[in-house]
């Protein structure tokens, strides 16, 4: 890779940096972006409209899609906005290093999210078939088992942090069972998945570690098949090769864990900062699914969706997009677009048209499993811990954002030991 400049007169004509030097554009990473992502989205919307030029890690240029309608157009039209990063001009022309922390999120792999058309349909079918199969093999039992096991560790203390002691690891423990992995791998895999999404210097090393564990798992399952997701991929009629199998194990593991753990923490936050919601859940008058729906609109687990690439010159919103430009879709910003939600306080009950699960042919295939994990996890928790309540004022709860998500830092609670 070479070190060509990304700003100034030599910047590619379609590159967002061509609108100004790197110092003139907003960075979606770093200390400032970690504090107030919604403030950044609001300012960008005022300055640029529905589509804004931004910088990702390494000052790599991209377009951030802030508008709901524009986001749906990008997600629903793979002929115009491909998921195949091999057409990404900044990568092709050497402005993105192979060691960039963006690569685990944006780099091409032989998996269904990196491809469109028939190759995508073939690979996605293998994923959805096997997700449906494992979901029908006692997922409720697995979630209940691990939820109780997690709660057992702190139930006698009378206090806990429901992020670090519960939400951060529970989904991964369930996934180890679905994948056929030892539960002992769960905590370290959860840490590695979180680092891949967070980015930074350790992202590539954590990604390599995940791939090593999954490679050993696939090898073991060839010799000792079982009723699990890994064996299902190995035996699927689509005939996945080694690279495709490992890439899909990685894809499902990382996305399913990080989005579900983040969503679970946000659901618990909403329940515990509103006593009427908590009372409704305990009494059975309120369903967890309705709380999940509200969180999906207001604090989706993935705030920014990585990676669509323009297949031709076109206009989107007020932006002139050039062939090969990178676009990232603001799921959180789109859900709060004042063009479709002029009053964000109005109830969204029964409205499932949010962007939290993406849209179009690449819509999240495992959303039902994620919601099942959350609903069971919340139900077990509120019925196991009498007197459950926040132990700090709600306004003291903080979040830390990366380019792709904003995670709740802590959720300290008290209850009857």
């Amino acid at each position: 890779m070479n070190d060509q400049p990304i700003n100034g007169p030599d910047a590619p004509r379609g590159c967002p940096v061509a609108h100004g030097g790197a110092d003139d554009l907003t960075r979606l990473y770093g200390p400032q972006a970690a504090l107030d992502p919604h403030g950044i989205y609001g300012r960008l919307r005022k300055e640029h409209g529905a589509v804004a030029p931004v910088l990702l890690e390494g000052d790599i240029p991209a377009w951030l899609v802030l508008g709901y309608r524009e986001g749906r157009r990008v997600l629903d039209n793979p002929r115009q906005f491909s998921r195949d990063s091999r057409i990404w001009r900044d990568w092709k022309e050497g402005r993105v290093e192979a060691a960039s922390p963006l690569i685990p999120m944006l780099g091409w792999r032989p998996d269904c999210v990196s491809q469109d058309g028939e190759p995508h349909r073939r690979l996605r079918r293998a994923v959805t078939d096997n997700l449906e199969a494992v979901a029908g093999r006692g997922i409720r039992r697995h979630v209940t088992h691990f939820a109780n096991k997690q709660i057992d560790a702190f139930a006698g203390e009378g206090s806990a942090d429901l992020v670090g002691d519960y939400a951060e690891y529970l989904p991964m423990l369930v996934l180890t069972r679905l994948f056929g992995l030892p539960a002992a791998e769960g905590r370290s895999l959860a840490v590695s998945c979180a680092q891949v999404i967070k980015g930074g210097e350790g992202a590539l090393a954590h990604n390599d570690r995940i791939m090593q564990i999954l490679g050993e798992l696939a090898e073991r399952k060839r010799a000792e098949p079982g009723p699990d997701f890994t064996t299902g991929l190995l035996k699927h009629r689509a005939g996945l090769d080694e690279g495709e199998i490992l890439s899909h194990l990685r894809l499902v593991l990382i996305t399913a864990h990080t989005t579900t753990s983040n969503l679970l923490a946000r659901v618990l936050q909403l329940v515990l900062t509103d006593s009427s919601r908590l009372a409704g859940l305990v009494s059975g008058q309120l369903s967890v699914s309705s709380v999940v729906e509200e969180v999906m609109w207001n604090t989706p687990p993935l705030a920014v969706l990585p990676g669509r690439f323009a297949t031709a010159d076109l206009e989107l919103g007020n932006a002139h997009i050039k062939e090969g430009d990178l676009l990232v879709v603001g799921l959180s910003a789109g859900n709060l677009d004042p063009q479709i939600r002029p009053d964000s306080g109005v109830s969204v009950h029964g409205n499932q048209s949010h962007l939290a699960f993406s849209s179009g042919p690449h819509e999240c295939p495992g959303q039902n499993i994620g919601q099942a994990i959350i609903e069971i996890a919340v139900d077990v928790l509120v019925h196991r811990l009498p007197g459950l309540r926040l132990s700090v004022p709600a306004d003291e709860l903080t979040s830390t954002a990366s380019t792709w998500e904003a995670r709740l830092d802590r959720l300290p609670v008290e209850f009857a030991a």
Side-chain angles (χ1 to χ4, degrees):
M1 296 292 171
N2 56 40
D3 294 315
Q4 298 176 27
I6 61 169
N7 54 9
D10 295 325
R13 191 164 54 94
C15 170
V17 173
H19 291 260
D23 290 338
D24 298 325
L25 296 183
T26 296
R27 290 173 171 85
L28 287 191
Y29 69 98
Q32 287 301 111
L35 296 175
D36 185 19
H38 283 283
I40 290 175
Y41 304 152
R43 177 174 56 77
L44 288 172
R45 199 190 304 274
K46 286 181 181 178
E47 293 176 359
H48 299 281
V51 183
V54 295
L55 295 172
L56 306 184
E57 281 192 85
D59 279 357
I60 301 301
W63 298 101
L64 174 62
V65 183
L66 298 158
Y68 178 90
R69 294 182 180 88
E70 290 76 12
R72 287 295 300 264
R73 178 184 164 190
V74 170
L75 297 172
D76 293 345
N77 292 279
R79 289 183 180 275
Q80 291 183 314
F81 304 98
S82 173
R83 190 58 184 85
D84 189 339
S85 63
R86 291 174 295 187
I87 68 171
W88 183 14
R89 188 178 55 254
D90 285 305
W91 167 257
K92 289 169 64 177
E93 296 180 1
R95 284 178 289 274
V96 182
E97 296 292 336
S100 165
L102 294 176
I103 295 303
M105 297 298 291
L106 294 171
W108 187 90
R109 287 180 176 79
D111 60 30
C112 58
V113 299
S114 293
Q115 302 180 63
D116 299 302
E118 183 52 37
H120 165 259
R121 286 188 288 273
R122 166 185 163 262
L123 295 170
R124 183 182 171 94
R125 195 175 304 120
V127 172
T128 55
D129 286 351
N130 285 291
L131 287 176
E132 289 172 6
V134 296
R137 294 184 187 132
I139 189 170
R140 176 173 292 275
R141 183 176 71 253
H142 299 325
V143 181
T144 303
H145 167 76
F146 284 115
N148 277 304
K149 195 170 181 179
Q150 292 286 96
I151 294 169
D152 287 344
F154 58 75
E157 301 296 325
S159 64
D161 166 20
L162 293 184
V163 173
D165 296 332
Y166 196 62
E168 199 166 297
Y169 298 110
L170 177 58
M172 182 59 77
L173 294 172
V174 176
L175 287 168
T176 59
R177 185 65 57 88
L178 299 182
F179 273 55
L181 279 162
E185 298 273 22
R187 286 187 175 268
S188 60
L189 276 171
V191 170
S192 289
C193 288
Q195 288 298 318
V196 169
I197 297 286
K198 183 180 179 181
E201 291 182 6
L204 281 172
H206 281 281
N207 188 73
D208 290 344
R209 182 178 178 279
I210 292 169
M211 294 302 288
Q212 179 184 348
I213 291 173
L214 295 177
E216 294 167 357
L217 170 67
E219 186 176 343
R220 187 165 65 250
K221 286 298 172 180
R222 282 193 179 88
E224 303 172 8
D228 50 64
F229 181 74
T230 307
T231 300
L233 283 183
L234 289 166
K235 294 186 172 183
H236 195 271
R237 63 183 182 277
L240 275 62
D241 63 28
E242 180 74 11
E244 291 170 339
I245 289 164
L246 294 184
S247 289
H248 285 95
L249 290 173
R250 172 195 178 275
L251 169 67
V252 175
L253 188 80
I254 293 176
T255 56
H257 169 69
T258 53
T259 57
T260 306
S261 63
N262 197 359
L263 183 57
L264 176 55
R266 293 298 186 181
V267 169
L268 291 171
Q269 177 188 16
L270 184 56
V271 168
L272 290 166
T273 52
D274 185 337
S275 58
S276 64
R277 283 192 178 91
L278 180 58
L281 288 179
V282 173
S283 66
Q285 294 178 316
L286 179 67
S287 69
V288 180
S289 60
S290 64
V291 182
V292 172
E293 193 173 78
E294 189 173 348
V295 173
M296 289 293 194
W297 274 102
N298 296 326
T299 51
L302 204 61
V304 176
L305 186 69
R308 296 295 188 272
F309 305 90
T311 61
D313 293 1
L314 51 88
E315 290 193 9
L316 181 69
N318 55 344
H320 300 286
I321 312 295
K322 295 297 180 181
E323 180 180 349
D325 277 1
L326 163 64
L327 300 95
V328 294
V329 182
L331 305 182
S332 181
N335 281 348
L336 295 170
D337 184 350
Q339 292 292 320
I340 64 154
R341 289 183 72 191
D343 182 357
S344 60
V346 172
S347 172
V348 290
H349 181 65
N351 186 340
Q352 297 182 355
S353 56
H354 55 75
L355 297 175
F357 288 129
S358 184
S359 179
H362 288 279
E363 183 175 348
C364 174
Q367 54 190 272
N368 292 335
I369 290 180
Q371 287 193 263
I373 292 173
I374 290 163
E375 290 178 14
I376 299 162
V378 174
D379 187 62
V380 170
L381 184 81
V382 299
H383 287 95
R384 276 284 310 267
L385 302 177
L388 181 65
R389 62 192 178 277
L390 273 180
S391 59
V392 298
D395 60 8
E396 290 186 12
L397 298 176
T398 59
S399 300
T400 300
S402 65
T403 301
W404 315 112
E405 62 174 2
R407 298 189 77 86
L408 189 63
D409 296 321
R410 296 175 64 248
L411 190 60
V413 295
E414 298 172 340
F415 46 86

